[in-house]
């Protein structure tokens, strides 16, 4: 029998709540709007509701840029950038942000709770419309059955950050009693967090606005948009700023860079170690900084001796003279020089050590916590919602993936390692899958293996806004109200200048979609009275609780759509204080790594050579698309209706393949068909395809049957230190289709 073991956190009571005066929305004649939502997506607006502007923040990607929704007669006409949000997004909305209107009025959006038709198989797409009552009852029934038959830990909870509401979902996992939450970092940036964290005790933000010299390893800021960096990189400074960019592809960032090198994939560490070699052998380091703030420089000196520019040139195919020159220029620009660590660090299986090398290079020029350098993130405090959890069963040993990677982040888990354990039921079975705002079938490498994992489930429930591939393979699909229709908790965005962002409904939820808090509360009620009690609050109460120490935050959010305490960075906060490393100093040499059997200083490992007649598959962002989620958006689909496989002309000629023809792309784990794009923009040893196509869900009507899926081709190698997936370790063969 399962029982409550630990009550780690004391109960919080909402005290003295005044009634919340958040902007309320005229419900109006929404029915008319719905009726008018024709198949072509055109809206005939009802009249008489008037016009209004609503401050909120974008939900199309991680950046959460502030906008003002122009609403007329109950219909969102347009989203404009919020000028007050300048401090964070530089007051821009990208193509995806603008196309956000279509998320609401997309005929393909989820409208009602759906239950898979009895007797049909997962993936056949046979769903019937259900009432919320019936769908929620079914979710709770299955969660309770799995708990009784196996244990609470046998239900996994997969979710991704970005909706402000995710913590209600992870709280549900904790209250239900499962330690098995699977968040997105091991698909994205956990090696960055680990590599920089091991060095500085935190993962800092590069001060792009003020740096005079920036080097980027495949951080494609002109397409993979991160605010404010993407805009700040383009700052007009009369040519003072220098950007050196390494990418096997000619991207939009390559076009904007002062120097672009088509580096051999997986060899950035050679370039970085050689830069360190030059700086140290020519005595260009900031010795005073090193002596005061760091440990391990004396071990670094002999360590980098063999890593000469000539050695590196043979590895990374960047000329030794350039490496030497760039190292000197970098040191001369210090401390206003940064080796920008990027965001998605799921490159190769040695990624954590590669990011460590970047962190060490930054350290020796003394750019820590100073203008134009690497700045530890600041944040604005919001009061957390306390609850009595986790409730873990006595007989559950812990997370299923415990020990699978060295530094497992408890809430994040390690996706591919977890999946292997779950498939082997090692050490216990996983039989239920709850998914919130994650699409593992598109975002976890080796789709066939994820499908296998889903096959073994007794029950799968997905909460989404559209029929993703994962939703398509679920038993129950619950429609959340989109970011334009719901109130979310307040969200602090940390960084060099921290802000609080705000998301409120621009229109009421359409069809039968519901806010996530309501969905979670209704599931909780059906699980047990005790779990329900942990969610016994309204969103208004929650918002007031978040700002109870400073109600001004909510006032500013209502009137400006953003809250900040200062518009200026506060440099040097951590200089002279103990960092969150074992020694309290910046750790060039990591004793922690040595103790765990990892190289205490980064040792170069050569990537596996590309076999003959094969190509290395690279992934990367596209400015119009967010992961696998926006390709079906009607506006964005118009701009790019399918993905292509980039191949260098020399190789195309060798293979006798022509631009525009269909090809088969085959890896060890899958085969996809898509159009060939013969282009000089990629090295001859690599190929590239945009993410988000080759979907399985027929309910994505614009893109079903178009293009190919990268997730179906990528093998699931991962970094043993951080668990981060290695997305570029897959080789493919290309054949005429
Ligand atoms: N092959 C391949 N795999 C990748 C990558 C790649 O480039 N190629 N990139 C990796 C990276 S860097 C990341 S961060 C991950 C991201 O991948 P995931 O963590 O899976 O996140 P997303 O793809 O952004 O979104 C997943 C789901 O959220 C749904 N969604 C969007 N808005 C809402 C909402 O408001 N509410 C709810 N309930 N659902 C919503 C979308 O419809 C989608 O189904 O993928 C990683 N995986
Ligand atoms: N438009 C848009 N913007 C986004 C997102 C989005 O989906 N769409 N997602 C957001 C998220 S979650 C993330 S994590 C970030 C990701 O932002 P980035 O970290 O910039 O990641 P990617 O675009 O995935 O870029 C990887 C780039 O690295 C190159 N590359 C591949 N292998 C190597 C290599 O070995 N060495 C070097 N030097 N380069 C290599 C690829 O060609 C590609 O251009 O973007 C964020 N911003
Ligand atoms: S970068 Fe674009 S998609 Fe991302 S939050 Fe900002 S406007 Fe939205
Ligand atoms: Mo990411």
């Amino acid at each position: 029998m399962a029982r409550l073991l630990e009550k780690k956190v004391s109960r919080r009571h909402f005290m003295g709540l005044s009634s919340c005066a958040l902007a309320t929305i005229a419900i109006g004649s929404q029915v008319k709007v719905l009726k008018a939502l024709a198949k072509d997506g055109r809206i005939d607006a009802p009249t008489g509701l008037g016009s209004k502007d609503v401050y909120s923040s974008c939900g199309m990607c991680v950046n959460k840029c502030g906008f003002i929704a122009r609403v007329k007669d109950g219909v969102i006409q347009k989203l404009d950038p919020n000028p007050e949000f300048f401090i964070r997004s530089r007051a821009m909305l990208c193509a995806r942000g603008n196309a956000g209107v279509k998320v609401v009025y997309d005929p393909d959006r989820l409208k009602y709770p759906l239950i898979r038709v009895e007797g049909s198989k997962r993936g056949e797409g046979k769903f019937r419309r259900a009432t919320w009552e019936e769908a929620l009852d079914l979710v709770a029934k299955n969660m309770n059955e799995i708990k009784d038959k196996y244990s609470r830990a046998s239900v996994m909870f997969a979710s991704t950050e970005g909706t402000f509401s995710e913590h209600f979902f992870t709280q549900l996992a904790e209250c239900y009693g499962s330690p098995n939450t699977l968040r997105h970092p091991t698909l994205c940036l956990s090696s960055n967090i680990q590599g920089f964290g091991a060095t500085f005790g935190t993962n800092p933000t590069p001060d792009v606005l003020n740096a005079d010299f920036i080097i980027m390893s495949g951080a494609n800021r002109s397409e993979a948009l991160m605010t404010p960096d993407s805009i700040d990189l383009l700052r007009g400074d009369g040519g003072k700023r220098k950007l050196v960019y390494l990418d096997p592809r000619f991207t939009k960032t390559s076009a904007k860079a002062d120097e672009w090198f088509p580096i051999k994939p997986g060899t950035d560490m050679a370039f970085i170690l050689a830069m360190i070699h030059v700086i140290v052998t020519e005595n260009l380091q900031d010795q005073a900084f090193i002596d005061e703030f760091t440990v391990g420089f004396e071990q670094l000196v002999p360590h980098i001796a063999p890593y000469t520019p000539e050695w590196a040139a043979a590895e990374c195919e960047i000329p030794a003279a350039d490496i030497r020159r760039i190292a000197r220029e970098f040191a001369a620009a210090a401390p206003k020089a940064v080796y920008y660590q990027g965001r998605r660090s799921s490159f190769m299986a040695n990624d954590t050590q590669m990011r460590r090398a970047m962190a060490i290079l930054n350290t020796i020029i003394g750019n820590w916590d100073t203008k134009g350098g690497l700045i530890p993130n600041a944040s604005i405090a919001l009061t957390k919602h306390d609850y009595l959890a986790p409730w873990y069963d006595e007989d559950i040993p812990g997370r299923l993936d415990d020990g699978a990677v060295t530094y497992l982040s408890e809430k994040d888990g390690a996706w591919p390692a977890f999946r292997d354990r779950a498939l082997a039921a090692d050490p216990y079975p996983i039989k239920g899958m709850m998914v919130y705002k994650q699409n593992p079938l598109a975002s976890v490498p080796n789709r066939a293996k994820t499908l296998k994992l889903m096959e073994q489930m007794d029950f799968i429930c997905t909460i989404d806004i559209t029929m993703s591939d994962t939703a398509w393979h679920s038993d129950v699909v619950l429609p959340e109200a989109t970011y334009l229709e719901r109130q979310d908790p307040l969200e602090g965005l940390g960084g060099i200048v921290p802000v609080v962002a705000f998301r409120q409904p621009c229109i009421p939820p359409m069809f039968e979609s519901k806010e996530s808090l309501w969905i979670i509360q209704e599931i909780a009620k059906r699980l047990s009275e005790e779990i329900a009690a942990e969610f016994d609050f309204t969103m208004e109460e929650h918002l007031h609780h978040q700002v109870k120490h400073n109600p001004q935050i909510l006032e500013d959010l209502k009137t400006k759509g953003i809250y900040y305490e200062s518009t200026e960075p506060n440099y040097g906060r951590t200089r002279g204080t103990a960092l969150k490393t074992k020694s309290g100093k910046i750790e060039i040499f990591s004793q922690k790594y040595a103790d765990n059997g990892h190289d205490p200083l980064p040792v170069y490992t050569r990537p596996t050579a590309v076999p003959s007649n094969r190509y290395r598959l690279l992934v990367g962002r596209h400015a119009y698309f967010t992961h696998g989620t926006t390709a079906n958006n009607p506006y964005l689909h118009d701009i790019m209706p399918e993905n292509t496989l980039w191949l260098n002309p020399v190789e195309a000629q060798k293979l006798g393949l022509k631009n525009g023809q269909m090809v088969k792309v085959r890896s060890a784990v899958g085969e996809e068909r898509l159009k060939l794009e013969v282009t000089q923009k990629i090295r001859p040893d690599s190929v590239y395809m945009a993410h988000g196509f080759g979907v399985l869900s027929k309910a994505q009507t614009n893109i079903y049957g178009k293009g190919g899926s990268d997730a179906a081709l990528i093998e699931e190698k991962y970094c043993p230190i951080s668990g981060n997936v290695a997305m570029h370790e897959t080789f493919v063969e290309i054949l005429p289709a």
Side-chain angles (χ1 to χ4, degrees):
M1 235 319 252
R3 65 189 184 87
L4 306 188
L5 249 199
E6 267 186 38
K7 301 207 167 190
K8 276 194 183 158
V9 189
S10 65
R11 179 181 287 273
R12 171 205 50 77
H13 293 286
F14 289 111
M15 305 277 287
L17 290 164
S18 57
S19 74
C20 181
L22 285 172
T24 49
I25 304 293
I27 302 282
S29 46
Q30 212 206 349
V31 181
K32 283 193 210 158
V33 179
L34 305 190
K35 280 190 182 149
L37 180 53
K39 187 64 193 145
D40 66 3
R42 276 190 52 241
I43 312 284
D44 289 330
T47 52
L49 295 179
S51 299
K52 64 181 170 138
D53 294 338
V54 185
Y55 287 114
S56 195
S57 52
C58 184
M60 297 292 276
C61 89
V62 292
N63 288 306
K64 307 169 179 88
C65 302
F67 64 76
I68 305 171
R70 312 294 183 188
V71 184
K72 189 162 173 257
D73 292 331
V75 177
I76 305 168
Q77 305 289 337
K78 191 173 184 302
L79 305 174
D80 284 329
N82 175 4
E84 293 284 352
F85 222 84
F86 182 85
I87 183 175
R88 184 76 185 193
S89 64
R90 306 295 184 238
M92 71 99 206
L93 276 191
C94 76
R96 297 164 297 155
N98 277 283
V101 177
K102 269 293 177 197
V103 168
V104 182
Y105 305 118
D106 181 353
D108 284 351
R109 68 169 285 173
L110 290 177
K111 304 177 184 82
Y112 313 104
L114 298 170
I115 295 178
R116 180 166 58 86
V117 170
E118 222 166 295
S120 73
K121 285 206 190 104
R122 289 192 190 126
E124 278 181 34
K126 290 190 180 150
F127 289 99
R128 64 179 172 85
R129 181 173 165 181
T131 61
W132 272 102
E133 199 67 20
E134 188 190 6
L136 292 162
D137 284 351
L138 193 60
V139 173
K141 176 176 163 280
N142 277 281
M143 288 175 76
N144 279 328
E145 277 177 13
I146 293 168
K147 174 197 80 182
D148 293 340
K149 201 165 163 196
Y150 306 95
S151 80
R152 295 170 189 271
S154 289
V155 178
M156 62 180 280
F157 290 74
S159 64
T160 283
E161 65 150 10
T163 59
F164 301 40
S165 287
E166 189 194 3
H167 68 265
F168 294 138
F169 182 79
T170 48
Q171 181 188 334
L172 180 69
E174 287 185 320
C175 292
Y176 172 75
S178 172
N180 289 314
T181 43
L182 270 300
R183 300 180 68 244
H184 92 294
T186 50
L187 307 172
C188 176
L189 78 171
S190 60
S191 55
N192 243 339
I193 295 172
Q194 184 47 237
F196 276 70
T199 316
F200 300 113
T202 184
N203 186 20
T205 299
D207 189 7
V208 171
L209 188 64
N210 295 300
D212 291 335
F213 199 109
I214 300 174
I215 308 179
M216 287 180 161
S217 270
N220 182 11
R221 278 302 147 270
S222 292
E223 291 172 272
L225 302 178
M226 294 301 300
T227 53
D229 300 8
S230 293
I231 317 296
D232 289 349
L233 259 189
L234 305 176
R235 162 186 84 144
D237 63 353
K240 192 172 169 220
R241 144 88 57 67
K242 181 154 185 178
L243 172 64
V244 173
Y245 182 63
L246 319 181
D247 195 313
R249 299 189 301 132
F250 186 83
T251 64
K252 301 279 189 292
T253 309
S254 311
K256 302 282 180 197
D258 297 280
E259 295 183 34
W260 164 61
F261 295 93
I263 189 167
K264 185 173 173 187
T267 66
D268 297 71
M269 202 211 275
F271 178 82
I272 298 162
L273 292 173
M275 279 189 68
I276 299 175
H277 176 100
V278 174
I279 291 171
V280 170
T281 51
E282 298 187 7
N283 207 18
L284 304 174
Q285 73 277 14
D286 184 339
Q287 198 61 50
F289 176 84
I290 291 169
D291 293 344
E292 188 174 353
F293 295 109
T294 76
V295 293
F297 184 72
E298 56 288 0
Q299 287 105 318
L300 178 71
V301 177
H303 179 77
I304 47 84
Y307 297 130
T308 64
E310 285 68 26
W311 162 83
E315 293 295 326
C316 69
E317 300 180 2
I318 298 175
D322 285 318
I323 300 176
R324 204 165 257 121
R325 176 181 53 79
I326 291 167
R328 289 172 187 153
E329 288 175 12
F330 187 70
K336 288 189 172 185
V338 279
Y339 205 110
Y340 183 98
Q341 73 264 43
R343 179 163 161 112
R344 185 176 66 83
S345 53
S346 45
F347 281 17
M348 311 297 270
N350 71 345
D351 211 295
T352 300
Q353 293 289 9
M354 196 268 265
R355 309 290 155 175
R356 271 271 293 152
M358 286 182 186
I360 292 168
L361 172 56
N362 281 306
T363 299
I364 62 167
I365 61 151
N367 72 6
W368 177 252
D369 203 0
T370 180
K371 192 172 182 177
L374 282 182
I375 316 301
N377 288 327
S379 62
I380 294 170
L382 293 171
T383 308
K384 287 209 174 86
H385 165 54
D386 294 345
Y387 50 96
L388 299 176
W391 301 348
Y392 294 159
D393 283 358
E394 203 172 28
D395 50 345
I396 299 300
R399 290 192 56 96
L400 185 85
D401 47 356
D402 265 352
V405 299
T406 310
Y407 298 112
L408 182 73
S409 163
E410 256 191 40
K411 264 199 178 177
D412 299 341
W415 236 116
F418 180 92
R419 186 177 58 186
D420 283 344
R421 290 263 180 99
L423 282 167
D426 170 21
Y428 53 83
I430 298 291
K431 290 290 180 181
M433 190 169 176
M434 297 291 293
V435 186
Y436 176 73
K437 205 197 169 280
Q438 199 181 72
N439 186 11
L441 281 175
S443 45
V444 184
N446 195 346
R447 183 169 76 183
K449 216 171 187 183
T450 311
L451 279 169
K452 224 166 136 201
L453 175 74
M454 293 176 79
E455 267 167 33
Q456 77 172 32
M457 298 293 163
D458 287 354
F459 181 71
I460 304 172
C461 166
T462 296
I463 305 169
D464 208 302
I465 56 169
T466 185
M467 186 63 93
S468 68
D469 284 357
T470 306
W472 186 251
H473 286 82
S474 299
D475 302 314
V476 173
V477 181
L478 303 177
E480 185 178 4
T482 70
Y483 71 96
L484 293 165
E485 301 163 307
R486 66 174 188 250
Q487 178 69 55
D488 270 340
L490 309 183
E491 179 90 7
L493 309 182
I496 298 179
V497 181
V499 305
V500 179
F502 187 46
R503 183 170 291 157
Q504 62 176 329
C506 305
I507 55 166
M510 290 178 66
F511 303 96
E512 288 181 14
S513 63
K514 295 281 188 188
E515 289 186 355
S516 66
L517 178 59
W518 183 89
I519 299 174
I520 303 292
Q521 283 171 330
E522 292 299 314
I523 295 174
K525 273 186 208 163
R526 288 163 171 81
L527 289 173
S528 76
E529 265 177 36
E530 278 174 303
I531 299 178
E534 298 300 336
F535 292 93
D536 188 16
F537 53 88
T538 65
M539 184 64 90
E540 284 187 5
E541 288 171 337
H542 184 65
L543 296 179
H544 284 284
H545 176 71
Q546 285 188 291
V547 300
K548 69 176 184 188
H549 60 292
N550 182 6
Q552 187 60 39
I553 295 178
L554 202 47
E555 290 308 307
D556 276 16
L557 289 171
K558 280 187 277 178
T559 53
K560 296 197 293 192
I562 186 168
Y563 172 82
Y564 46 84
E565 279 159 3
S566 160
T567 54
E568 292 304 318
N570 181 6
Y571 298 116
R573 280 176 300 124
T574 65
R575 284 197 169 216
T577 64
L579 298 179
K580 287 185 187 149
T581 53
K582 206 171 171 191
S583 63
K585 295 199 163 195
I586 299 173
E587 299 196 346
I588 293 174
F589 180 94
S590 174
Q591 190 57 48
K592 187 176 94 168
Y593 275 26
D595 294 346
N596 279 296
H598 299 298
D599 295 326
L601 286 162
V603 174
Y604 181 72
T605 42
R606 183 174 295 155
T608 314
V610 183
S612 60
N613 301 322
R614 297 283 188 284
Y615 300 89
R616 188 181 293 280
L617 178 62
L618 300 180
V619 299
R621 311 291 118 186
H622 193 290
Y624 302 142
F625 302 134
T626 301
H627 311 140
T629 72
T630 62
N632 195 58
N633 178 295
Y635 284 165
L636 300 170
H637 172 71
D638 257 7
I639 314 178
M640 183 167 156
E642 64 186 312
N643 65 348
T644 56
L645 185 79
W646 290 22
L647 179 69
N648 187 282
V650 174
E651 298 301 312
Q653 201 180 15
K654 258 195 230 163
L655 298 176
L657 297 171
K658 296 246 162 353
N659 188 37
Q661 84 171 80
M662 290 298 289
V663 288
K664 275 193 274 189
V665 188
R666 189 181 289 157
S667 75
V669 299
E671 182 178 300
E672 291 290 287
R673 282 163 54 95
L674 72 169
K675 254 187 211 156
L676 190 70
E677 183 173 342
V678 178
T679 171
Q680 301 267 14
K681 291 189 289 189
I682 189 153
R683 286 173 55 97
D685 56 4
S686 304
V687 293
Y688 161 81
M689 63 203 278
H691 187 47
F693 290 87
V695 294
L696 301 169
S697 163
K698 291 184 182 163
Q700 306 232 10
T701 57
N702 292 322
I703 53 166
Y704 179 75
K706 297 193 183 135
S709 157
D710 53 354
L713 296 169
I714 304 173
E715 294 165 44
E716 73 282 15
K717 306 223 167 76
Y718 59 89
C719 166
I721 303 179
S722 63
N724 212 156
V725 167
M727 298 252 182
H728 308 158
E729 301 251 26
T730 299
F731 302 117
V732 293
E733 191 181 0
I734 303 164
L735 306 154

